[in-house]
Amino acid sequence: MRVFRRIIVFVLLLSLATSCSTSKKTISKNSFSLAKAGIYEDDEIYIPHLKSERKNYFPDTDFENRWVDSIYNSMSLDEKIGQLFMVAAYSNKDTIHTNSIEKLIKNNKIGGLIFFQGGPYRQAKLTNKYQSLSKIPLFIGIDAEWGLSMRLDSTYRYPWNMTLGAIRDLKLIEKVGVNMAQESKRMGVQFNFAPVLDINTNPKNPIIGFRSFGENKVNVTEHAIALMNGVQSQGVFSTGKHFPGHGDTATDSHSTLPLVSASREHLDKVELYPYKRMFDEGLVSVMVAHLNVPSLESKENSPSSLSYNVVTNLLKAELSFDGLIFTDALNMKGASSFKKPGDIDLEAFLAGNDILLFAENVPLASEKICMAYQEGQISEERLSQSVKKILKYKFKSGLNKYKPIDLRGLSSELNEKSKDDLQYKLYENAITVLKNDDEILPIKELNQKIAYIKLGDDTNETFLSTLQKFADVTEVKISNIDTLKTALSEFDKVIIGFHKSDKAWKKHDFTDTEIKLINEISSVKDVILDVFTKPYSLMQIDDFSKIKGLIVSYQNSIISQEVSAQIIFGTVDAKGQLPVSINESFKPGDGLSTTKLNRLGFSTPENVGMSSKKLAEIDNIAQTAIDKKLAPGMQILVARDGKVVYQKSFGYQTYDKTVKVQNSDLYDVASLTKMVATLPNVMQLYDKKKVTLETKLGDMLHSFRNSNKSEISFKELLSHYGRLQAWQPFYKATLDSVNQPSTKYYRKTFTEGFTKQVTENLFLRDDYHDTIIKKIIDSPLIEKKEYKYSDFTFIILKEYLEKATGRKLDELTYNNFYKTMGMNNTMFNPLQKTDVNRIAPTEVDTYFRYALLQGYVHDMEAAMEGGIAGHAGIFSNAMDVAKMMQMYLQNGNYGGKQYFSPETFETFNTCWYCAEGNRRGLGFDKPQLGKEGPTCGCVSPKSFGHTGFTGTMAWADPESGIVYVFLSNRTYPDSNLPNKLSKENIREDIQKIIQEAIIK
C-alpha cells in the first residue's frame, strides 16, 4: 500500500514539473555525491514521505497531552499571548538590561529567551534567575551554528558549516551535532537555531557564505540531516533556517530586504529541497527569513516572515510541516522597515508563525495581538494551536520537570580537551587538495631546500612550527617582490600560506600585491599555495596553471594549521571535497586524495586510544622533579601509532630561570647517541652482509687482531657480553700535576696538529685518538663472562664504521638518516650549525675543561674526539629522537624509505643472552629481567630503548606502538652530585603513567 501511495505522489509531482524531465537518484545516509551543482535543472526531484511515515524524535504521549491541556486551561489570555514571544537576552550587559528582562517575564509572561553575546557562567546564572521568575519554564534558545562560541566567549568552537561541507564522512557531522547538543543542554538551552539550510549559490552572499554547507543541494541536505540527527538525539531541538532559502541573495536581511528572484519551479527543486527531506527526517522547527520572494508572495516588498502565503500556505499546508515555526529576529531591517513594532509582531503571527523572535516592544505587541483576538481577527483555535504547540515542546524538552543549571564545573565541562579529538578528525577529513601537479604533495624528499612565505594578516605560528617539525623549512620575509625572488633562488620548493582572521564575517580577500606575488613566484618556483580561509578567496586568482599544489584549509585555527602541515608532508592523507565552485576552475565535489607516508604526525591521545587525563599526570611528575632540583628543565614526548599525542617542555635551561625550555631546544643526549647515530649505521652494514653475528672483532678491525679481544663476536660486542671494561677516564692522563689540561696535549687555539676542539678555548692534539684506541686494545678483560655495560663497545664500532665506509660518523649519520628523515635538529657539534641559546648546558666543568659546557659534549672521551664519538656527542630534541625510534618501530622504514630490512631490526631487537641473565639486545637496551632495570617494569619484552648519563631516555614498544622520549640536563651544574633523577625513578614513573594511559 505504501509503495502505491508513493507512486501516486510521484505522478502528481511529475505533472507539476512540466518544464523538464527528471532523473531519480538513490541517496545514501552516510555518503553523498557532489557531481552537480544545486542550481542545475536536471537535478533530482525529491519525493516527500507521507506525513505518517516521517521520523519523529519526540513522539506525543497521553501524559504530555494531559499536561499541555492542564497548563493551557489554567492560563490567562495574557499568559497565552506571552508564550508567543522569545526575547533577546545578553549576559554581557548591565543591570538595566537584566531588569528589563525580569520585567518582561513578570509582567508580560514571555515564553522564552534567545541569548546573544556574553559568557557561559554569566548566562547560566541569568538563566537560573530568569527561570525562577517564570511561572511556566522559559524556552532558552541560541544561535550555535558552530557551537556556543558563535555567541559566548570561553566556549568550544567547531568549524564553520562550509568547512564541514567538505567532509564526506557524515558520521563526523553527526558527532558534531551530538557535542553541540550536549553543550547546549549543559547550558539549559532547548533550541539550537541550526542547521543553516541555505544553498549558497551566490558566492557574494554577504551574510550566509561560510554559514552554508555549500552550493549543492544534496550536500547541504545530507550534512544538515547529519547535524540535526546528532543534535536531536540528545533531546535538544534543531531549527532549520532561513526558510524559504537565503543562499541566492546579494544583500543582508539584517540591514535590508533581500530579493530572491528565482521562479517557483526553481525554489521547489533547489531551495526547498533541504526542507522537504529534513521534514521527513524529523526536523522539529523552522525559522522563516525576511526575504522578498515575488514567486511566493505577490505583495510588493513583503517579507516572507510576514507572508501568509509563505508561512501558512507553503510551509504548513503544502509542505505539511507541523513543528514549531519561528520568525527570524524581528528587529532586523529586512522586517522592521516594513512595519512598526507591535504591528510587525501581529502581522507575523497572522502569517502563521508560532514564536516571535526578538520582538522590539513586547508590551505593545502583546496588546496588539490581544486586541486582534478580542476583535475576532485571531481565533481561539489559531491561538491555542501555537500556544499548545509551544507547551508540547516544553514538555518534550523536559521543562515540565525543570531543574536549575548546576554551575559547578561548567567551564571545564564545556571546554573538555577531549573535544579536540573530533576537531582533528574534522580537519583531517575537510582540508581539500585541488591541485597536485607532478605529485608535489606530499613532499617526499626532505633533503631539499624549502621556503615558506606568509601572506595575510593573521597568525601562522602553528603552521610554520609544524612544517619545521618535518623538514628544514625556512621562513622568507617579504620586503618587495624583486628581493623576494632573489632570496628564493636557492630554494627548491616554496610553500605559501594565506592566513586571514578566523573570526566570522571578516574579509578574506587577497590584496593585489599578494595576487601578483603568487603569480610571479609560481612562474619560477614549484609552489604549494595553502589558503586558511573560505574557498571563495580563490576567486581572485584568474590562472591556477602555474601553481603546482593548491590546498584549501578553510579556517586559520590552530588545529587546521597543524593538520594542513601534516597533509603537506604526508602524515595525513587529503580527503576533502570542495563544497562550492571557484569560477570555472573548480566545481563542487573537486578534491584529490594524496598518499599517506609513515612519518610521525600529530593528534590527540584519545584518537590513538589513550587517556589525555591520565597523560596530564606527567605534568605533575615533571614539575615535582624540577621543584626538587633533580633537573633544571626537560622535554617529554609521547607518541602512539605514529602520532605524537603529548609533547611538552618544562622548566628552564638552568636554575637561574632565565631561559625557558622550548620544544625546539637541543639537549646533549649522551648515550642515546649509541642508538640514534652509531647503531643505525651498523645495522645498515649488517643488512648489506658486511658483517654477521659471528664475525670476530679481529676481523672487523685489524688493530684488534692480536689483542685479547680479537675473538669477541659481533653479537657479543653489541650485547655488552664481551668482557669489556665499562670505561676509562682517558682525560686524566692529559692533565698536568695540578689537574689542568697539559700543554703537551692541548692548545688554547686551533693550531696545526691540535684541531680536536674540546671547548671554546681548548684543542686536543690530533693523534690522541690513536692513544685512546691503543688503551682500549691493551685494556684487560673482566674475569667473568657476564653482562657489563661498556662505552668501549661503541667507541670500537665508530672506529669500525669509519674504516669500513671511509667516511666519518657525522657524515654517515647525516647522509644515511638525518637528512632524509627530517632530523634537522640532530647533530654533533651543534655550535657549528645553530645558536647557543637553543642548547641546554650540561655542566659547569671544574675537573677537566674548566668551562660551562653548552653546545660542547659533556662526555669526556667524546670531547677528546672533537665532539664526535660512537657512544656520545649527539645533541637533539625529543621530536627528532622520536623520529628515529619510530623508524625502528616501523622495522627500518620511515617516510616510505626503507633504511634496513625488517629482518635486520628483528635480529638487533632480540635478547640473545637472556638465558644467561643478560637483558640486552644488539645495541638496544631491553626491559629488566628481574627487579632492577631501565624501565617501569610494565612494558613488553619486545620493547627497546636506551638511557643517557645526562638524564635522558628513549623507549619504544612494538606491542603498544608507543614511543617515549625524555630529555633533561640533570647533570647541570655538577655531574658529580648524586643522580637523584635516577634514584627517584622519574623517567620510569612517567613511563608507568604512559602505560596506564592506554585505554583498554
Side-chain angles (χ1 to χ4, degrees):
M1 186 66 184
R2 175 180 172 181
V3 173
F4 177 74
R5 291 197 303 264
R6 296 288 297 276
I7 291 171
I8 295 298
V9 173
F10 179 63
V11 170
L12 288 172
L13 284 170
L14 283 180
S15 68
L16 293 173
T18 57
S19 63
C20 63
S21 61
T22 61
S23 59
K24 184 75 187 288
K25 301 175 187 173
T26 300
I27 300 173
S28 166
K29 285 186 176 181
N30 296 318
S31 63
F32 56 88
S33 169
L34 297 184
K36 298 175 181 177
I39 59 173
Y40 288 3
E41 285 298 312
D42 62 348
D43 244 347
E44 74 170 58
I45 288 178
Y46 179 70
I47 305 170
H49 295 176
L50 295 177
K51 195 172 180 180
S52 61
E53 297 171 349
R54 287 176 173 173
K55 186 183 293 184
N56 189 348
Y57 275 93
F58 308 97
D60 294 349
T61 66
D62 290 339
F63 180 52
E64 170 190 314
N65 293 330
R66 290 196 299 272
W67 184 85
V68 169
D69 289 340
S70 170
I71 297 298
Y72 186 81
N73 293 335
S74 69
M75 295 169 72
S76 67
L77 178 60
D78 287 345
E79 288 174 332
K80 292 173 183 177
I81 293 172
Q83 288 297 303
L84 306 177
F85 294 96
M86 184 173 266
V87 175
Y90 298 78
S91 58
N92 66 347
K93 290 191 175 183
D94 57 18
T95 54
I96 295 174
H97 170 75
T98 305
N99 292 338
S100 70
I101 299 296
E102 292 180 12
K103 186 176 179 181
L104 290 173
I105 294 170
K106 293 174 182 176
N107 297 345
N108 296 98
K109 322 298 182 188
I110 57 173
L113 300 170
I114 173 174
F115 271 98
F116 287 87
Q117 285 72 26
Y121 187 80
R122 289 168 285 162
Q123 179 174 312
K125 281 186 71 176
L126 285 174
T127 299
N128 286 345
K129 183 177 184 180
Y130 295 148
Q131 291 283 24
S132 71
L133 299 174
S134 183
K135 177 181 176 182
I136 299 171
L138 300 162
F139 266 148
I140 305 296
I142 194 167
D143 291 305
E145 295 167 21
W146 51 86
L148 296 172
S149 69
M150 183 173 178
R151 296 301 186 210
L152 302 181
D153 59 35
S154 308
T155 54
Y156 198 82
R157 181 181 183 183
Y158 297 92
W160 298 330
N161 284 345
M162 188 160 287
T163 306
L164 299 179
I167 296 172
R168 307 182 197 189
D169 185 352
L170 296 175
K171 288 295 181 184
L172 293 174
I173 310 303
E174 187 171 334
K175 178 59 178 170
V176 173
V178 168
N179 281 16
M180 285 181 176
Q182 290 171 348
E183 292 161 18
S184 294
K185 210 166 188 177
R186 184 68 180 85
M187 285 292 297
V189 170
Q190 293 81 44
F191 278 93
N192 180 357
F193 294 121
V196 172
L197 303 185
D198 303 318
I199 300 161
N200 204 70
T201 50
N202 184 351
K204 294 184 178 179
N205 192 317
I207 189 59
I208 303 303
F210 66 90
R211 298 167 67 194
S212 166
F213 289 111
E215 69 178 62
N216 176 281
K217 70 180 187 182
V218 176
N219 184 37
V220 169
T221 305
E222 293 286 353
H223 284 74
I225 290 172
L227 191 76
M228 175 198 71
N229 284 341
V231 170
Q232 296 193 166
S233 72
Q234 303 302 302
V236 175
F237 303 139
S238 281
T239 305
K241 62 186 186 184
H242 306 84
F243 186 84
H246 205 324
D248 191 14
T249 59
T251 54
D252 178 2
S253 53
H254 289 84
S255 55
T256 188
L257 181 64
L259 172 66
V260 178
S261 58
S263 69
R264 174 60 198 266
E265 286 181 81
H266 178 91
L267 292 174
D268 275 335
K269 292 172 69 175
V270 181
E271 274 75 16
L272 296 180
Y273 175 91
Y275 291 94
K276 295 173 185 178
R277 287 193 59 197
M278 292 284 282
F279 295 162
D280 285 348
E281 294 296 327
L283 180 66
V284 161
S285 61
V286 168
M287 181 182 290
V288 183
H290 310 309
L291 302 170
N292 177 14
V293 192
S295 62
L296 298 178
E297 174 55 68
S298 59
K299 189 185 298 183
E300 189 174 352
N301 293 324
S302 177
S304 51
S305 55
L306 310 184
S307 167
Y308 187 88
N309 284 332
V310 171
V311 181
T312 297
N313 291 341
L314 175 59
L315 180 56
K316 287 183 172 181
E318 188 174 332
L319 299 180
S320 300
F321 181 69
D322 58 6
L324 276 171
I325 302 173
F326 292 81
T327 66
D328 206 342
L330 291 174
N331 71 322
M332 294 165 61
K333 295 299 181 184
S336 62
S337 298
F338 186 76
K339 282 185 178 292
K340 294 179 180 179
D343 293 331
I344 192 174
D345 306 88
L346 174 60
E347 193 82 8
F349 186 69
L350 292 172
N353 294 287
D354 298 309
I355 296 182
L356 311 176
L357 204 63
F358 208 144
E360 291 189 272
N361 190 332
V362 173
L364 179 60
S366 297
E367 184 180 341
K368 293 271 186 181
I369 293 173
C370 182
M371 289 174 60
Y373 177 84
Q374 291 170 343
E375 294 170 359
Q377 189 179 4
I378 297 173
S379 67
E380 167 60 25
E381 180 185 6
R382 170 70 188 91
L383 181 63
S384 68
Q385 183 187 62
S386 286
V387 176
K388 285 189 175 183
K389 198 191 300 184
I390 291 167
L391 293 174
K392 279 177 66 171
Y393 280 99
K394 287 192 174 184
F395 182 94
K396 293 177 193 294
S397 70
L399 283 175
N400 62 311
K401 298 177 181 178
Y402 166 74
K403 292 181 180 179
I405 302 164
D406 186 352
L407 301 178
R408 294 170 299 178
L410 181 64
S411 179
S412 60
E413 289 179 40
L414 293 176
N415 294 282
E416 288 176 341
K417 190 66 178 170
S418 61
K419 296 180 192 294
D420 286 348
D421 310 338
L422 177 61
Q423 194 88 316
Y424 269 91
K425 291 178 182 177
L426 293 172
Y427 280 107
E428 286 172 359
N429 283 270
I431 294 175
T432 306
V433 172
L434 292 178
K435 287 199 70 183
N436 192 16
D437 295 353
D438 301 327
E439 293 187 338
I440 194 170
L441 296 168
I443 296 175
K444 298 178 181 67
E445 298 298 326
L446 302 184
N447 57 330
Q448 57 181 316
K449 300 203 71 175
I450 303 171
Y452 162 78
I453 298 171
K454 178 199 171 188
L455 301 182
D457 53 10
D458 203 36
T459 59
N460 69 325
E461 286 81 3
T462 300
F463 184 55
L464 179 58
S465 65
T466 306
L467 291 174
Q468 290 173 334
K469 289 178 180 179
F470 290 105
D472 187 10
V473 177
T474 304
E475 182 174 14
V476 179
K477 302 283 188 178
I478 302 170
S479 52
N480 60 67
I481 292 178
D482 291 333
T483 57
L484 180 62
K485 287 168 72 174
T486 301
L488 292 174
S489 61
E490 61 180 296
F491 292 94
D492 303 298
K493 285 186 174 65
V494 180
I495 299 168
I496 299 176
F498 181 51
H499 303 268
K500 297 293 285 185
S501 173
D502 208 29
K503 293 182 179 179
W505 296 289
K506 288 279 188 178
K507 288 193 70 176
H508 287 169
D509 298 339
F510 288 96
T511 65
D512 292 341
T513 301
E514 288 170 336
I515 294 291
K516 183 179 179 182
L517 183 147
I518 292 169
N519 291 334
E520 294 208 17
I521 299 304
S522 61
S523 67
V524 295
K525 287 290 176 184
D526 290 348
V527 164
I528 298 167
L529 174 62
D530 196 340
V531 294
F532 293 89
T533 66
K534 57 190 177 187
Y536 290 131
S537 63
L538 292 173
M539 295 182 73
Q540 293 175 263
I541 300 176
D542 296 324
D543 182 9
F544 293 94
S545 62
K546 294 176 182 177
I547 300 171
K548 287 204 166 185
L550 180 60
I551 304 172
V552 180
S553 294
Y554 296 98
Q555 294 181 240
N556 200 37
S557 69
I558 288 174
I559 293 178
S560 69
Q561 290 185 37
E562 187 170 284
V563 171
S564 194
Q566 293 188 74
I567 287 174
I568 289 174
F569 283 101
T571 58
V572 171
D573 53 320
K575 308 176 189 70
Q577 288 184 330
L578 193 65
V580 295
S581 55
I582 307 299
N583 300 326
E584 298 300 317
S585 301
F586 305 102
K587 64 183 184 299
D590 283 353
L592 304 172
S593 58
T594 56
T595 305
K596 189 174 182 179
L597 300 176
N598 59 346
R599 293 177 176 136
L600 266 182
F602 306 89
S603 192
T604 61
E606 278 72 15
N607 282 343
V608 295
M610 300 186 77
S611 165
S612 53
K613 186 176 181 180
K614 189 66 181 179
L615 286 177
E617 294 179 19
I618 295 173
D619 297 17
N620 295 330
I621 297 176
Q623 192 56 54
T624 298
I626 290 168
D627 292 343
K628 290 184 175 182
K629 295 195 172 182
L630 309 186
M634 57 196 64
Q635 293 176 349
I636 303 170
L637 181 147
V638 180
R640 191 181 193 202
D641 297 340
K643 296 291 185 182
V644 175
V645 296
Y646 182 100
Q647 184 184 11
K648 291 186 180 182
S649 293
F650 299 89
Y652 296 80
Q653 289 188 2
T654 61
Y655 288 115
D656 60 12
K657 298 185 177 182
T658 55
V659 181
K660 278 191 173 182
V661 178
Q662 306 295 326
N663 287 341
S664 57
D665 286 354
L666 305 186
Y667 278 91
D668 179 338
V669 302
S671 285
L672 297 194
T673 300
K674 300 176 173 72
M675 185 173 59
V676 173
T678 312
L679 188 61
N681 285 288
V682 170
M683 293 170 80
Q684 281 194 340
L685 289 186
Y686 177 87
D687 204 50
K688 296 172 182 176
K689 304 191 186 313
K690 301 293 184 182
V691 66
T692 71
L693 293 182
E694 302 307 323
T695 300
K696 304 302 182 184
L697 181 53
D699 295 324
M700 292 170 61
L701 286 168
H702 289 180
S703 55
F704 282 81
R705 183 162 291 176
N706 297 318
S707 74
N708 58 1
K709 303 169 185 65
S710 63
E711 293 302 308
I712 297 174
S713 70
F714 180 78
K715 182 166 67 173
E716 290 171 329
L717 181 68
L718 272 87
S719 299
H720 297 276
Y721 202 53
R723 298 169 58 203
L724 298 177
Q725 294 182 29
W727 76 298
Q728 281 189 26
F730 298 113
Y731 76 96
K732 288 188 176 181
T734 67
L735 302 180
D736 61 19
S737 59
V738 291
N739 289 327
Q740 293 289 323
S742 171
T743 55
K744 177 181 178 181
Y745 301 107
Y746 297 97
R747 296 289 183 270
K748 291 185 178 180
T749 59
F750 185 92
T751 308
E752 183 178 355
F754 293 81
T755 63
K756 294 285 184 72
Q757 189 170 16
V758 178
T759 59
E760 182 178 5
N761 299 310
L762 196 63
F763 296 83
L764 179 65
R765 55 191 292 167
D766 297 341
D767 59 4
Y768 203 82
H769 168 76
D770 298 333
T771 303
I772 291 173
I773 296 298
K774 183 72 166 58
K775 286 176 179 286
I776 293 173
I777 292 170
D778 294 342
S779 65
L781 297 174
I782 61 174
E783 292 185 9
K784 187 178 179 182
K785 188 172 179 63
E786 61 183 1
Y787 163 59
K788 184 72 172 180
Y789 178 74
S790 174
D791 280 345
F792 285 4
T793 294
F794 280 85
I795 295 172
I796 292 168
L797 286 171
K798 172 181 178 278
E799 187 81 355
Y800 165 66
L801 280 170
E802 294 185 344
K803 290 189 180 299
T805 63
R807 296 159 70 191
K808 297 296 183 183
L809 180 59
D810 56 340
E811 296 174 31
L812 287 170
T813 54
Y814 176 73
N815 291 313
N816 289 346
F817 295 94
Y818 300 164
K819 76 176 183 180
T820 53
M821 291 177 65
M823 293 176 64
N824 304 298
N825 295 295
T826 305
M827 62 199 78
F828 294 100
N829 292 321
L831 292 175
Q832 298 174 9
K833 302 171 185 175
T834 193
D835 190 283
V836 67
N837 294 318
R838 287 187 60 206
I839 307 168
T842 48
E843 187 176 22
V844 179
D845 185 336
T846 59
Y847 51 88
F848 169 30
R849 290 154 284 193
Y850 300 94
L852 171 67
L853 301 182
Q854 187 172 16
Y856 295 100
V857 63
H858 174 267
D859 183 89
M860 290 73 79
E861 196 282 333
M864 296 169 74
E865 297 284 4
I868 304 169
H871 66 296
I874 283 290
F875 287 74
S876 189
N877 58 29
M879 184 69 206
D880 266 19
V881 172
K883 291 177 185 179
M884 182 63 73
M885 300 304 290
Q886 189 66 31
M887 185 270 287
Y888 286 134
L889 267 190
Q890 293 167 181
N891 293 305
N893 194 292
Y894 192 82
K897 179 179 173 64
Q898 196 71 44
Y899 290 90
F900 43 77
S901 69
E903 293 76 17
T904 290
F905 172 72
E906 186 64 29
T907 298
F908 277 69
N909 192 34
T910 297
C911 177
W912 292 96
Y913 298 105
C914 272
E916 289 79 12
N918 179 354
R919 69 173 188 260
R920 290 275 175 166
L922 301 185
F924 294 118
D925 202 354
K926 302 282 287 177
Q928 53 264 45
L929 300 176
K931 292 184 178 180
E932 299 297 324
T935 74
C936 58
C938 53
V939 290
S940 80
K942 289 187 177 180
S943 69
F944 59 92
H946 218 288
T947 56
F949 182 76
T950 52
T952 61
M953 181 178 186
W955 211 268
D957 193 337
E959 288 196 1
S960 64
I962 283 177
V963 169
Y964 162 45
V965 181
F966 179 101
L967 304 182
S968 77
N969 54 338
R970 69 98 197 158
T971 50
Y972 184 88
D974 186 354
S975 67
N976 295 307
L977 294 175
N979 186 351
K980 293 190 290 182
L981 185 82
S982 178
K983 288 182 178 180
E984 297 210 20
N985 295 316
I986 296 299
R987 293 169 291 187
E988 297 86 342
D989 288 349
I990 290 173
Q991 189 176 46
K992 187 170 184 284
I993 293 295
I994 294 167
Q995 291 301 118
E996 291 172 350
I998 297 173
I999 299 170
K1000 307 297 184 186

